[in-house]
Amino acid sequence: MHTTGYTEAEYGGVTVLVGAGRGAYPYAHSVLVRGTAETLVIDPSLSLVASAPPADLVLVSHAHEDHLAGLGRYDGPVHAHENDLAAVRSRAVMAAGYGLPPDATEQTRAMLRDRFHVRDRPDATGFTDGAVFDLGGRTVTVVHLPGHTAGHSGFLIEPDGFLFVADIDLTSFGPFYGDVGSSLADFEASLRRCREIGARWYGTAHQKGVIEGAEEFGRRLDAFAAVVERRDATLLSYLDEPRTVEEIAERRLVYRPHVEGPHVRPVERRIAAQHLSRLADRGMIAEVEAGRFRAT
């Protein structure tokens, strides 16, 4: 696959490596952080495959292919949250985490290898929430923000006041919590945590790029979170009569009708099940027949 290079944008002492196509998938934005002792790169993307800036170590926000396609350009230490570590270490584990049918899982493993250059990194080591990487005059602190994946993490870079929130990406698509290890409840808790962190700049991994100021970030976070509520409303409207999870998946809460692929139905099923669970907990729906749900 042809890979287009990145451009650089400076935010204090933090350099955002702006991915091709404004960081739209399959590309993403990466971050370069230089200290007096060491330099690190966060999420080496597909745009770094052709030419990557030197770095002493790599931090991975989570184990998705668009966030580590350029990892092969680096031989130094690689770190990821312990909950995503197995998938960073093994391409097979990463592919399995998408929860696809067996034939599609095999195709995904090949796609990860051939399109995204993903290789096993058994040398990768784990971090936990609050871990600090001291680069000399500049620190990078792990902020665990699970939901998208179990190990999804952001990074607070000081003294610059730059919070990289990765795939809390503020796009109109909204939060994605459709992998095997994803969690809607955790995602919403992570959104609340982001609101509590005061920063000057908030960096996303995709199209929205960097947002300046907590007030503007909060406004965009509200719009991002509102997508989840719209999915609830869509589901409640559809449950005017008893429906199964399979029927809800066919109706779709997440993907538009034109989107096709082996991932669509498994993702729709997992997301529908999470919304059903939360609406049932709120007393807004009930299981009226075995495996069939209706609004109350």
Side-chain angles (χ1 to χ4, degrees):
M1 178 180 180
H2 176 68
T3 55
T4 304
Y6 57 87
T7 58
E8 296 188 3
E10 303 293 334
Y11 299 89
V14 176
T15 303
V16 174
L17 310 178
V18 180
R22 295 176 52 243
Y25 185 90
Y27 301 100
H29 305 313
S30 305
V31 177
L32 190 69
V33 188
R34 297 183 179 92
T36 58
E38 290 184 302
T39 297
L40 67 75
V41 65
I42 300 171
D43 285 2
S45 74
L46 195 60
S47 291
L48 273 62
V49 169
S51 177
D56 300 295
L57 65 154
V58 177
L59 303 184
V60 177
S61 67
H62 64 291
H64 279 167
E65 67 278 2
D66 49 324
H67 294 262
L68 43 72
L71 190 55
R73 298 284 300 185
Y74 297 97
D75 297 324
V78 176
H79 306 275
H81 192 278
E82 58 185 14
N83 290 348
D84 275 17
L85 185 57
V88 174
R89 288 176 170 173
S90 167
R91 183 174 65 238
V93 173
M94 184 186 298
Y98 296 121
L100 305 178
D103 57 340
T105 297
E106 288 303 311
Q107 294 171 9
T108 298
R109 289 179 65 176
M111 179 270 291
L112 294 176
R113 179 192 66 225
D114 299 335
R115 188 181 184 194
F116 288 93
H117 315 281
V118 176
R119 302 292 183 267
D120 292 350
R121 288 301 297 255
D123 58 311
T125 59
F127 53 61
T128 56
D129 184 51
V132 178
F133 295 86
D134 189 342
L135 307 178
R138 185 163 279 113
T139 60
V140 180
T141 302
V142 174
V143 182
H144 188 207
L145 299 170
H148 183 61
T149 69
H152 182 271
S153 297
F155 303 98
L156 180 62
I157 305 163
E158 296 287 13
D160 307 280
F162 189 105
L163 178 64
F164 182 66
V165 294
D167 270 359
I168 297 177
D169 58 19
L170 308 180
T171 59
S172 59
F173 180 86
F176 180 87
Y177 36 90
D179 287 0
V180 172
S182 300
S183 166
L184 170 54
D186 285 350
F187 208 128
E188 292 193 308
S190 293
L191 296 181
R192 291 191 294 271
R193 186 176 187 189
C194 284
R195 296 180 191 278
E196 298 169 356
I197 301 174
R200 179 177 179 184
W201 291 293
Y202 299 82
T204 70
H206 292 290
Q207 294 98 312
K208 298 302 179 182
V210 177
I211 290 82
E212 184 169 6
E215 183 176 351
E216 177 63 15
F217 177 70
R219 186 184 68 80
R220 297 194 186 204
L221 204 62
D222 288 341
F224 186 65
V227 175
V228 176
E229 299 300 327
R230 289 200 295 273
R231 291 170 185 165
D232 276 343
T234 297
L235 178 54
L236 281 170
S237 177
Y238 187 57
L239 293 179
D240 58 345
E241 59 182 78
R243 312 281 187 180
T244 66
V245 171
E246 286 297 331
E247 288 173 324
I248 297 166
E250 179 68 25
R251 168 64 174 76
R252 298 195 181 190
L253 295 178
V254 180
Y255 293 111
R256 294 180 179 178
H258 72 275
V259 178
E260 298 179 354
H263 64 291
V264 172
R265 185 57 67 87
V267 166
E268 291 285 353
R269 279 198 300 264
R270 282 190 289 269
I271 287 181
Q274 292 179 77
H275 280 268
L276 287 170
S277 178
R278 91 198 217 119
L279 292 174
D281 288 344
R282 295 175 179 179
M284 301 175 74
I285 66 169
E287 188 173 11
V288 294
E289 305 168 30
R292 298 179 74 83
F293 302 86
R294 184 171 185 170
T296 56

